[in-house]
Amino acid sequence: MEVTKLETAPGSMLQTDVGIENAIATYSAARAPYGWMGGMDNVMAFFTKIKNPFGRRIQQLKLDQSLRLLPCRAYVLTSHGPILASIDDAEGAFGADIRTQVIGSTICALAHLCEPLTAAQLFCRFFLPYYFGESSPLADTLHGQLIEQACLTQIINEGASRGYNDLFKKTVDELRIPVVNHGWRSHKLASQTFDGLLGEISMIGGLLRFVTQDESSHYFTRSSAVACVAACLKSVGHPIGDIHTWDGHGVPPTAVNPRSLTLVLGGSSGTDPLMEDLQQLPNTTLILHYQYKTVGSMLMSALRCRLDILVETLQADFEHVYEYVESNLRVDFVLRKEVSRPAAEFSWEEPSGKACSIARRLAAIHFPICAELVAPCYTRIASEHCLSMVRPKVRRAVKPGRPELARFRAVTAAIAISIASRLAPSSFKNVSHATVMELDDEHWVSELCTLLDNHMDSGSGLPLRFAIFILAAVHAAHEPIDSEKTNGKIIGWRNGVYGIVPDLLLGMAIYSPRMHL
């Protein structure tokens, strides 16, 4: 979601104060027909008119007893800074009806790793028939309602305001599910009708088929994403049993509880028996959640290919790049009088030593204007062999036999992340991030690096809208497409729990130099 600037009279300022009545009014506005929450309110109308077996199914699964509902917590921007507003209304979540609460919380659980539209499509493909029967006018009507963008955005926003994102991250962390597991290819799966690497959306679909079978006992998967989705569904109350990992050697573990799941990390046993080709679903990427210390794992996941590269190597590459950029780049936001809008101004210190010619040639592939400035970032991978593998005329998709191309692309992505971090230097290391980065081709790095390269060494600086666009790509899971078409009045960005808000807005302050996002 983009946050745009409204025009006001020249020189005017808006000052706000907030009390409990203002917080309640803000919450009420959020649930209004055109607000940013309350997506399930309109769905309730369907349940009052059409009889369905949903209620009985909920009782059979004991979801009416186990569904986890959370109160609303959100920050309100005031003249005294952000104030946390907490409203104890857990029972009123997602329309205050157990049926709509099951729908809302389940979509939020799926949307933690899948893009929202894909999450809604997965819910409609697997859960709606399970709850309502294969042919149901209510199911068809609900499908149309749930995939409508405004309704879906409101559902995701409500889940974020109720702390589901933190719940999902905590659950996955406690289970110690590996962030990346590329120990699977088609010959290691129970279904061998697919060629090469398989889309993990199809593997998640196999899990959902398993969850919606009444006599399910034990499921084996080679996808970390599948295990994470199972953990998220379990955290909101779905009857999923134990979730474990297994190295793939010896006797397979047996299930103690129904609907248990095992993530297989090695070996050659067949897994994911219920996965299917979901061609009717949007071809979207998974959302990758990461922090400063897990960038290496995130980059490995984004490469989407099993490679002879250690996650620790990619993490070390990233930290080398980050430390160089942190030491040599300062970003200040200045007010350009000619356009009356802030812009990011980049100030680079000259590197202490000149990078080798190969590093400079590697840098020039994605940073032709600023190659000298970023060349030291490539010193760890600079070699004639690497250069021969990544030259534009021979660059191809990342495959298992091309670790040089994979590492080059990961280092380039690390440069984009590190430069973006200078736009918000005080918070980047201390918060969680989300991205839909894909490094099996060069689109993601090419889009961001071209934008940075065109503005880092220019006299006009990087306009605020582009700064927010770049941060949204590395922090708020925004797809970096057509940056030049971004709205010139954008002053912030939010995607569920992830957001980019300038200090100027957080403090309700008059603009001053050296102010960051």
Side-chain angles (χ1 to χ4, degrees), residues 181-190 192 220-222 245-253 262-272 306:
N181 175 35
H182 287 304
W184 51 271
R185 291 190 66 81
S186 57
H187 69 277
K188 292 184 179 179
L189 303 170
Q192 298 185 23
F220 291 85
T221 181
R222 291 185 179 273
T245 60
W246 173 47
D247 63 7
H249 302 287
V251 180
T262 296
L263 174 61
V264 183
L265 303 178
S268 58
S269 59
T271 64
D272 299 270
R306 189 177 186 185

Side-chain angles (χ1 to χ4, degrees), residues 384-426:
E384 286 286 357
H385 181 59
C386 178
L387 182 61
S388 68
M389 293 295 294
V390 304
R391 282 173 177 161
K393 290 185 179 180
V394 297
R395 282 208 307 272
R396 297 176 291 271
V398 173
K399 292 184 178 179
R402 298 174 187 156
E404 296 85 4
L405 177 57
R407 198 169 169 194
F408 166 77
R409 206 164 277 165
V411 169
T412 305
I415 295 172
I417 293 172
S418 300
I419 294 174
S421 74
R422 304 309 296 155
L423 299 169
S426 63

Side-chain angles (χ1 to χ4, degrees), residues 120-136:
Q121 295 277 29
L122 286 170
F123 179 87
C124 294
R125 170 67 178 81
F126 295 100
F127 285 99
L128 281 188
Y130 182 59
Y131 288 139
F132 300 107
E134 288 294 337
S135 58
S136 166

Side-chain angles (χ1 to χ4, degrees), residues 40 63 71 102 219 314 360 365 373 406 415 432 435 461 484 486:
M40 299 307 302
L63 282 172
V102 168
Y219 197 72
L314 296 183
R360 295 198 300 272
I365 293 174
L373 298 174
I415 295 172
S432 297
T435 182
E484 295 297 332
T486 55

